[in-house]
C-alpha cells in the first residue's frame, strides 16, 4: 500500500503539526499546575492532574506517530507554556480546540484518538469541579 505523501506546506499537515505542539504544551501546562498545588485539600486535585497527564500522554504520542507515518516528518513546535491561572477554563478551552480538529484529521483512528483526549479532559474537569 502506497503511503500518502503531502507537501510539507500543505495546510492540513501544518494544522496537524501545530495541534500536536499545542497538545504537548497543554500536557506540560497541566504538569506545571500540578506542581503548584499546595495547602489543605490539595491532594485530590494534585492526583487528578497526575491521572490526566498520564491519560493524555499516550494519545498525544499516537497522534504524532500516526501523523508522521501518514504525512512524513512534521514541523512540530511546542509553544511557550505558563502555569494556567484558571485550570478549569484552560481545560475547557483546550477541549474546544480538540473539537476543532475533527475536520482536519481524516482517518477514523485519529479521530478516535481525539475522543480519548476529550475523555481524559472531561474526566479531569469532573474531578476538578467536584474536588476543588
Amino acid at each position: 500500500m502506497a503511503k500518502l505523501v503531502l507537501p510539507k506546506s500543505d495546510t492540513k499537515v501544518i494544522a496537524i503539526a501545530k495541534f500536536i505542539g499545542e497538545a504537548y504544551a497543554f500536557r506540560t501546562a497541566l504538569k506545571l499546575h500540578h506542581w503548584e498545588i499546595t495547602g489543605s485539600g490539595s491532594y485530590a486535585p494534585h492526583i487528578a492532574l497526575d491521572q490526566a497527564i498520564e491519560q493524555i500522554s499516550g494519545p498525544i504520542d499516537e497522534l504524532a506517530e500516526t501523523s508522521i507515518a501518514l504525512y512524513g516528518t512534521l514541523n512540530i513546535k511546542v509553544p511557550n507554556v505558563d502555569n494556567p491561572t484558571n485550570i478549569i477554563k484552560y481545560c475547557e478551552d483546550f477541549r474546544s480546540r480538540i473539537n476543532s480538529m475533527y475536520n482536519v484529521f481524516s482517518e477514523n483512528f485519529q479521530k478516535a484518538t481525539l475522543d480519548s483526549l476529550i475523555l481524559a479532559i472531561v474526566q479531569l474537569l469532573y474531578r476538578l469541579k467536584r474536588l476543588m
Side-chain angles (χ1 to χ4, degrees):
M1 178 181 207
K3 178 173 84 167
L4 173 65
V5 179
L6 298 174
K8 300 277 188 262
S9 62
D10 181 275
T11 305
K12 176 180 174 174
V13 174
I14 292 168
I16 289 171
K18 181 179 179 191
F19 175 75
I20 292 168
E22 291 170 354
Y24 194 80
F26 175 77
R27 181 203 174 280
T28 302
L30 292 183
K31 195 63 172 180
L32 290 173
H33 196 77
H34 161 89
W35 288 329
E36 294 293 321
I37 294 175
T38 61
S40 177
S42 64
Y43 185 73
H46 184 84
I47 295 302
L49 284 161
D50 242 359
Q51 289 171 335
I53 292 162
E54 187 175 319
Q55 282 182 285
I56 67 170
S57 293
I60 293 169
D61 195 49
E62 289 170 8
L63 284 175
E65 290 175 353
T66 58
S67 296
I68 291 167
L70 292 169
Y71 310 118
T73 302
L74 302 175
N75 186 19
I76 299 170
K77 295 179 183 174
V78 179
N80 288 335
V81 181
D82 293 316
N83 179 8
T85 55
N86 182 336
I87 193 67
I88 290 173
K89 181 176 181 333
Y90 187 74
C91 291
E92 288 170 343
D93 289 348
F94 193 68
R95 179 182 175 196
S96 294
R97 177 69 174 114
I98 295 169
N99 282 329
S100 75
M101 293 303 295
Y102 279 91
N103 292 330
V104 177
F105 286 100
S106 54
E107 298 290 338
N108 287 335
F109 61 85
Q110 289 181 307
K111 291 177 182 186
T113 304
L114 294 177
D115 289 342
S116 295
L117 286 173
I118 287 179
L119 175 62
I121 292 169
V122 170
Q123 287 177 322
L124 174 61
L125 286 167
Y126 166 78
R127 292 173 185 136
L128 292 176
K129 289 176 181 180
R130 295 290 200 153
L131 302 174
M132 290 180 91

